[in-house]
Amino acid sequence: NHVVEFTIRMGRHFSRAKGMVLCGGSLGGALVAYAVKDILAARHEQSRANSNTDAQLTQQPQLECPDFYGITLLAPALGIDPGAIPPSPVVVALRYLSYIFPSQGILTPIEHPTYACPPSSTRNFSGRWPLSTSNMLLDITSRRVPNDVESSNVQTQMEGLQSLCVITGDRDEIVPLTSVMKWFEAVTNLSSDDGEKIMIVLKGAGHGFFHERTKWGLKSENTKKLFVDNLFDWLNGLASKDFE
């Protein structure tokens, strides 16, 4: 719900823009993917409400929202390396603790301050993840995503979406490339041949390719340049299209 509200609010704030794209990285990428259907429904409802108001008050133009071009997922958490999951007894114990101490970080992943952009920003969370967040991420990556891929629910979730771009690394140590590729292939309502969906794999890049200094012996500046160049090439292509 927060992702949907944020997207609608940004659309209103930048109402004079031609179009907008929602981007999310890692867990944010998974949240964006699962929020698409509700975002499109909310925009449709808003457009219908504006049309009804226009018919009643033609002297007061309503605030328009820019076209929703699509979504970009950066190293999205659409799967998980089985080796990154703790033993089953530990998972069960941590799930139980997450209901008692949801805000505590006990044996959970560490969010490093280097994730902040710019580096001096204090907006990003740092330290051990809360148990509730870790439990949610584990459920999404190890259960919901694989189940949705197997049951063809991904196509339903992406219904109405006009464009999709996925950028990930081939040496992602958290989310296997094969998992992301399976999810991407499950988006059957968009065509790769027609350019409606595109997947860009950065060679030698890990999970944090957009913020890490060096990874897998590959110069970070080269990785970031490839990432930015590919992303803006895709965005420029969208801006040149006419969306309904």
Side-chain angles (χ1 to χ4, degrees):
N1 290 339
H2 291 301
V3 176
V4 176
E5 291 171 2
F6 171 80
T7 306
I8 298 301
R9 186 166 63 250
M10 288 298 100
R12 290 171 178 166
H13 184 73
F14 297 99
S15 59
R16 295 187 178 182
K18 180 180 178 181
M20 64 183 294
V21 169
L22 186 60
C23 178
S26 192
L27 174 57
L31 294 178
V32 166
Y34 277 98
V36 164
K37 189 172 183 179
D38 289 338
I39 290 171
L40 294 175
R43 285 176 56 86
H44 177 73
E45 184 64 27
Q46 182 183 37
S47 177
R48 188 172 63 177
N50 284 348
S51 298
N52 292 338
T53 304
D54 282 341
Q56 298 173 10
L57 302 173
T58 56
Q59 295 180 353
Q60 297 182 5
Q62 296 301 303
L63 184 63
E64 296 293 335
C65 285
D67 291 334
F68 189 72
Y69 288 164
I71 60 175
T72 303
L73 312 180
L74 310 176
L78 296 170
I80 189 171
D81 185 343
I85 303 176
S88 181
V90 176
V91 172
V92 172
L94 292 178
R95 286 189 191 279
Y96 177 76
L97 288 174
S98 71
Y99 294 105
I100 304 175
F101 308 109
S103 61
Q104 298 298 311
I106 303 174
L107 300 177
T108 55
I110 298 176
E111 190 87 0
H112 294 284
T114 53
Y115 279 26
C117 183
S120 59
S121 172
T122 58
R123 294 176 298 176
N124 286 53
F125 174 83
S126 62
R128 287 198 176 276
W129 287 16
L131 283 167
S132 57
T133 302
S134 300
N135 186 33
M136 176 189 66
L137 179 60
L138 184 59
D139 278 340
I140 291 175
T141 56
S142 66
R143 294 180 179 181
R144 183 165 181 178
V145 169
N147 289 341
D148 285 341
V149 170
E150 292 297 327
S151 60
S152 302
N153 283 342
V154 177
Q155 178 180 348
T156 303
Q157 293 159 2
M158 297 293 112
E159 187 175 347
L161 184 68
Q162 303 191 73
S163 297
L164 165 67
C165 175
V166 177
I167 304 179
T168 191
D170 66 348
R171 294 193 178 183
D172 193 315
E173 66 281 15
I174 304 297
V175 183
L177 176 59
T178 53
S179 297
V180 181
M181 292 181 68
K182 286 180 180 178
W183 181 91
F184 181 80
E185 292 168 357
V187 185
T188 55
N189 51 315
L190 295 177
S191 169
S192 296
D193 294 336
D194 294 337
E196 295 173 339
K197 67 175 183 177
I198 180 173
M199 183 170 180
I200 300 168
V201 179
L202 301 176
K203 293 184 178 180
H207 188 67
F209 63 82
F210 45 87
H211 68 82
E212 289 176 339
R213 295 180 179 178
T214 306
K215 194 65 181 177
W216 302 104
L218 186 68
K219 294 295 183 181
S220 64
E221 293 305 317
N222 291 338
T223 307
K224 291 175 182 175
K225 184 177 186 303
L226 284 172
F227 152 55
V228 172
D229 287 349
N230 279 289
L231 176 59
F232 277 87
D233 283 347
W234 179 71
L235 292 173
N236 288 334
L238 293 183
S240 65
K241 295 181 179 179
D242 291 326
F243 288 86
E244 295 181 357

